[in-house]
Amino acid sequence: ILNVEQSPQSLHVQEGDSTNFTCSFPSSNFYALHWYRWETAKSPEALFVMTLNGDEKKKGRISATLNTKEGYSYLYIKGSQPEDSATYLCAPPAGNQFYFGTGTSLTVIP
Amino acid sequence: NAGVTQTPKFQVLKTGQSMTLQCAQDMNHEYMSWYRQDPGMGLRLIHYSVGAGITDQGEVPNGYNVSRSTTEDFPLRLLSAAPSQTSVYFCASSYSRGLGEKLFFGSGTQLSVL
């Protein structure tokens, strides 16, 4: 079992605030990382797939970076909106398996 | 486009009963997998398949059985349900098993074992 940690566990921010989360993983085991967004009563949906050390991805106000050498990834949300409220999961794949973190639950207060 | 379809959405079982959770995808995906979601824990892999006729165990396989007779279907069987198997189950698939292939998830099955 490979340990994937996400922090913080939960976060409440005001609308318009910018925020970021961290995903940490054993650097010797993982060389790629996926971020998924999971809204309440829905299924997880892929946000970003990063497969190279130093990869940076952006979709609108959300961006992510990957450092496989030191074993971390950051997810940034600029100018949070209520519709950003969700749980954000990171999942580095190794072999044929994905190892999901427990997620960061974001609540954006209007 | 249906994507990944899971049935049933809810199920209540008594201890010792058996049942099958169904998962079907219409995207011609090679890779299919089953996860369980428990409070305070990340999604944990139960079983996965990299193609028809090929299955393998994930992190928490005990008490579950799978088969992959077609590309489209990947059923999960609970052989003798136990209260510890109360959980939310998700099926997920991807085009291939490559590191860059994102997972597509079904809508989940909430299972209670009494």
Side-chain angles (χ1 to χ4, degrees):
Chain A
I1 299 173
L2 300 172
N3 198 30
V4 177
E5 297 184 353
Q6 290 189 245
S7 63
Q9 193 171 9
S10 67
L11 200 54
H12 290 72
V13 301
Q14 293 289 330
E15 182 175 353
D17 286 351
S18 293
T19 187
N20 64 85
F21 325 136
T22 304
C23 174
S24 302
F25 50 88
S27 58
S28 59
N29 298 104
F30 299 111
Y31 306 97
L33 190 116
H34 294 210
W35 280 99
Y36 290 84
R37 172 191 160 91
W38 193 357
E39 292 181 71
T40 303
K42 294 188 177 180
S43 306
E45 288 187 358
L47 261 181
F48 300 116
V49 174
M50 295 180 286
T51 57
L52 293 172
N53 181 45
D55 237 354
E56 294 186 18
K57 299 278 185 179
K58 186 175 181 182
K59 185 184 293 186
R61 294 176 291 97
I62 306 176
S63 60
T65 62
L66 176 63
N67 185 326
T68 57
K69 289 185 178 179
E70 296 185 28
Y72 65 84
S73 176
Y74 295 139
L75 187 79
Y76 303 91
I77 302 179
K78 184 177 178 181
S80 302
Q81 298 297 309
E83 58 265 29
D84 296 328
S85 296
T87 296
Y88 292 83
L89 304 174
C90 70
N96 292 319
Q97 304 193 29
F98 285 83
Y99 296 86
F100 280 85
T102 53
T104 292
S105 173
L106 173 67
T107 303
V108 182
I109 303 163
Chain B
N1 206 357
V4 180
T5 303
Q6 272 185 251
T7 55
K9 290 194 183 303
F10 301 95
Q11 184 71 48
V12 179
L13 292 177
K14 293 182 180 178
T15 297
Q17 286 186 314
S18 63
M19 79 157 296
T20 300
L21 307 185
Q22 301 291 345
C23 176
Q25 51 86 14
D26 62 357
M27 298 174 283
N28 201 30
H29 283 177
E30 279 188 354
Y31 182 90
M32 296 186 75
S33 53
W34 277 101
Y35 291 87
R36 59 178 289 172
Q37 169 70 50
D38 300 296
M41 307 189 79
L43 290 163
R44 292 184 293 167
L45 182 65
I46 304 171
H47 285 285
Y48 66 93
S49 168
V50 298
I54 306 169
T55 63
D56 208 344
Q57 297 181 351
E59 184 184 344
V60 288
N62 292 340
Y64 307 95
N65 202 1
V66 291
S67 60
R68 184 97 180 266
S69 56
T70 66
T71 300
E72 294 78 20
D73 300 298
F74 191 46
L76 178 73
R77 296 182 186 83
L78 279 69
L79 307 172
S80 177
S84 60
Q85 294 178 304
T86 294
S87 188
V88 181
Y89 292 84
F90 287 95
C91 178
S93 71
S94 64
Y95 182 69
S96 73
R97 56 182 166 172
L99 297 180
E101 296 294 337
K102 64 182 179 182
L103 290 171
F104 292 80
F105 283 85
S107 56
T109 296
Q110 190 166 324
L111 175 68
S112 295
V113 183
L114 307 177

